[in-house]
Amino acid sequence: MAITETRNLPAPFIQSLGEYYGKELPALTKDKMDVSQWAPTVAAQDPMQTQAATLAGTQDKGIGAFEQYLTAAQPYAGPDAYKQFMSPYQQQVIDATMTSFDKQAAMQRRGISDQAKQAGAFGGARHGIAQSEYDAASDLNRAQMEAGLLQQGYGQGMAGAQQAHQQQMGLAQTVPGMYQQDIATLGTVGAQQQAQSQAVLDAQREGKRMEAFEPYERLGFLGQGLTGIMGGYGNQYQFQQQPNPTPLQTALGTGATLAGIYGAVRGAGQQGYQPGAITTPKLY
């Protein structure tokens, strides 16, 4: 007994593409991909960034650069700060001023004596009172003048100390700020240079990755196109095949035939003989 087999086959070019795809895909994916060639990398620090970090850590130039100026300002804030700003010629000025004052006072005393002589009161009580009052006033003026000169020197010394203190405090703010500007500028420019280097590394890495994945993407495009073609292109022809029966199939077929013949004969025999029926004798 023959068996008919029907197959719906795609167009020959589609079958050819499918066979190519099925052959190339295992060949492409059988080996492990080496990703070390396009592993992510980080660009090294730019020399300007290194210089900025070095400058930031340099004593008296980076972090804490203000400390040296605070240390220098301390002597100008104490109670004896004025002494180092006193004029070295102050005492000489005071001595010269007092000598001049004493000369003037002596001349005034002689004038009082001369007036007493003219009035005939020299050596008298009025002469003594006038001389005593003048001496008291002169001594007071002398003391006030000397104190004024000392106060003037002290004031100048304190003003000098305050000015020096303010200068050091100003330097404590200005100089570190200048260093910080240099550090910031170096860091900014260095970061831009590092970003450029990183962009180059990323571009190179992406190029290697694209090169590594190109066969996979190409085969993937083929697979997508093949799927689209197979979905929209109908079967082109049918293939029918009638293979020769196997010995088992032949034996089964023969057995079925014999069984059918036997069943038909037996059925006919049963129909010819029935109990109680009249049998017509055969004539020979």
Side-chain angles (χ1 to χ4, degrees):
M1 175 178 161
I3 298 177
T4 301
E5 180 181 1
T6 302
R7 297 181 184 178
N8 293 325
L9 299 178
F13 77 95
I14 296 179
Q15 184 175 0
S16 177
L17 289 175
E19 292 175 353
Y20 175 79
Y21 182 80
K23 173 182 170 183
E24 291 295 322
L25 182 60
L28 185 62
T29 57
K30 67 182 181 64
D31 296 328
K32 184 178 180 181
M33 181 180 294
D34 182 13
V35 300
S36 61
Q37 297 297 322
W38 38 280
T41 56
V42 178
Q45 278 194 336
D46 186 81
M48 289 188 178
Q49 290 177 304
T50 304
Q51 185 178 357
T54 302
L55 184 60
T58 302
Q59 186 177 3
D60 298 335
K61 291 185 178 180
I63 299 174
F66 59 89
E67 293 179 355
Q68 57 179 327
Y69 302 102
L70 294 182
T71 301
Q74 290 178 358
Y76 305 140
D80 297 332
Y82 72 94
K83 292 182 179 179
Q84 52 188 321
F85 294 95
M86 294 288 290
S87 173
Y89 306 103
Q90 181 176 7
Q91 190 60 46
Q92 297 177 6
V93 172
I94 293 175
D95 293 343
T97 302
M98 293 298 99
T99 299
S100 177
F101 181 87
D102 291 341
K103 289 181 179 180
Q104 294 293 329
M107 293 175 62
Q108 292 293 334
R109 289 191 186 92
R110 284 196 296 270
I112 293 173
S113 297
D114 292 341
Q115 291 177 0
K117 288 179 181 181
Q118 292 176 1
F122 183 78
R126 288 185 300 173
H127 178 213
I129 293 173
Q131 188 72 40
S132 178
E133 290 180 352
Y134 174 77
D135 288 342
S138 177
D139 291 342
L140 179 60
N141 291 335
R142 189 178 190 284
Q144 290 178 347
M145 180 176 292
E146 185 175 8
L149 292 174
L150 291 173
Q151 181 63 33
Q152 182 179 358
Y154 173 78
Q156 292 176 350
M158 286 299 298
Q162 291 176 356
Q163 183 178 3
H165 185 270
Q166 292 176 357
Q167 289 174 347
Q168 294 300 322
M169 294 300 294
L171 290 174
Q173 296 178 355
T174 303
V175 175
M178 293 180 176
Y179 284 126
Q180 290 175 4
Q181 291 179 359
D182 289 344
I183 293 172
T185 301
L186 289 171
T188 300
V189 177
Q192 293 175 350
Q193 294 296 107
Q194 186 187 33
Q196 174 64 25
S197 299
Q198 184 65 52
V200 173
L201 291 176
D202 291 343
Q204 293 174 349
R205 170 177 171 268
E206 181 62 18
K208 293 179 180 179
R209 190 199 68 81
M210 292 175 64
E211 182 180 357
F213 273 92
E214 189 277 333
Y216 294 88
E217 294 178 352
R218 178 158 39 87
L219 192 61
F221 293 151
L222 175 60
Q224 292 177 359
L226 184 59
T227 302
I229 293 175
M230 293 178 66
Y233 202 95
N235 297 325
Q236 298 302 304
Y237 66 94
Q238 295 182 349
F239 175 76
Q240 294 183 353
Q241 182 180 6
Q242 294 181 350
N244 294 325
T246 64
L248 177 59
Q249 291 174 339
T250 302
L252 291 176
T254 302
T257 302
L258 294 175
I261 295 173
Y262 173 78
V265 172
R266 186 169 181 270
Q270 291 178 352
Q271 290 177 1
Y273 172 77
Q274 295 182 356
I278 300 175
T279 303
T280 302
K282 295 182 181 181
L283 298 179
Y284 296 94

